[in-house]
Amino acid sequence: MAVNYKAPIKDIVFGYQVINSYDVLSKISQFSDFSEDIVIPTMEECGKFAEEVLAPINAIGDENGATIKDSVVTMPDGFVDAYKKFAEAGWSSISLPSEIGGGGMPVVLSGGTLEILSSANLAFGLAPGLSAGAISALNFHGSQEQKDKFLPKLVSGEWTGTMNLSEPQSGSDLGTITTKAEKNEDGTYSITGTKVWITFGEHDMTENIIHLVLAKVPGSPEGTKGISMFIVPKFMVNDDGSLGDRNEVKCLSIEEKLGIHASPTCVMEYGGDKGAIGYLVGEENRGLTYMFTMMNEARVWVGGQGLSCAVPALQGAAQYARDRVQGRPVGMSKEDAKKSTIIDHADVRRMLMTMKAYTDAMRYLMYDNQLMMDLEYFAEDEETKSFGEERCGLLTPVTKAWVSDLGVELSSIAIQVYGGMGYVEETGVAQYLRDARIAPIYEGTNGIQALDLMFRKLPLDGGQAMQRLLSEVNETIETMKTGDEDLQKMASLLDKEVTNLSEVTLWLGGKMLEGELVDASSAATPYMKMFGQVIGGYYMAKAAILAKKKFEDTNDEFYADKITLSNFYMEQLLPLASGYTSSIKAGKEDLYSIKSENF
């Protein structure tokens, strides 16, 4: 019995208002007419497609999974037809640049569409999500000839794209990869090696797959400085765009995983007698730089996968709580209890409120991160472009780590609402927990994201990038202080946590300046959690300010609920931030006092 997912259109539309997306994008000429007249019908159509086409095959994909025989991967029933409909409807290209055949919509629009599509069927959504990253990498770094040959059918969705980084001995430490690329006389390269964890590395939904492969050219520098990027198609592409011979690319096996069963996670072999034919992207030894174009977009969306598991898990839990009769809520008469369901129990309410408040904060953060990508990519003036790049740099590790961690936590809470019925597969809610669990791991584990925030992002512009973000938070607090009693109370709670975050940030900066890098690294994950909790409070504050205005104009219960959710976040979730202070300042001693063999 699958969860009956319904796209939360009104929540998504409100999210775009909270981050002020329309005013921000008005500064970019190609998006100057971006408005709710575009957003609302787009989300409505996307929701209809997700509910009618993708959601019905979600449980089928989970139960049956992708299968492999003789290196041929077959998708579960319904997936090939669903992908064909997906590509034909244009969902694969809506936020891709118009000059390469895309819909020309801003990146931030894909926040809503990808949320909807992946909430309905996360495993399905991984294929076009990775393709979008591959398209960006080629569009920014490929030659015109490569763009002309590979982009049209990637953009149309007729082909899919992958990223091939990891190897059996080389996970996140890409400096140790051994896949080799030897230059041929005709300018192509012969690629030999094995790659692992390749999402949709092989499948039967499209006629061709374009792999972006990291490899080393003989004689290149050691470590990450010697990595190059290559286009390696499954089938060779002729000059007229038709498909030629099969390249020496083979799927050896697919992984048996905890979740996302319909997403084939492949072990890929590049080689054969002559090696797989590959085309160098850009210059030799700059592959990791090019791949980061793809990886940064993917990291933001991996955070979004946490959101996409939490939202349907919440919907299922809320419906179950409205239906399930069990026990008499404290303080309720026996007579009233006869008509009561578990949603009347305070603890169930607490769980549902926790999920609902967090999913709002997660959504606002992810959308704002993507909005900053639009500024970085498309702003006409350098000042705005630089601001987008800076803010995107700060937000990306938080979006990836904080949001994906919450995706696991909230999916687990949903199971708790169901009780024993959540733990059995019959209700379908357990799938969200299993699917969500991968998000904190891939595209750079969340520990790596925490280190990235600590050592690369906090020092940006001598720490001024962080100060500029906190200044915006403080401006929002000052705005709240001029509002009614509700807003003033929220402002006081947020002010306390922002002050503590600022003090802890300065303390960590001092540690790094003193060379106490191990102490700083031991604090990275709790600091990430503190940062996420506070930045979530910032977005909930913006939501409260907007909801107050909307409610005054419309008297719509939807906005009254948004105010309540912001208040709940400030009172019951935001204070968790201060709880990380002690662990941040504890240092490395306890971590290294026990001998490794004694664990």
Side-chain angles (χ1 to χ4, degrees), residues 172 397 400-401 404-405 440-441 444-455 521 523-526 528:
S172 298
K400 197 282 182 183
S404 66
D405 275 344
I441 298 172
T445 65
N446 286 358
I448 290 173
Q449 304 306 314
L451 292 172
D452 177 55
L453 177 66
M454 178 77 66
F455 292 118
S521 69
T525 290
M528 168 71 79

Side-chain angles (χ1 to χ4, degrees), residues 484-498:
D484 63 13
E485 186 177 342
D486 284 344
L487 291 179
Q488 291 176 27
K489 182 178 69 172
M490 289 187 226
S492 177
L493 293 167
L494 182 56
D495 194 14
K496 175 184 175 183
E497 297 300 335
V498 173

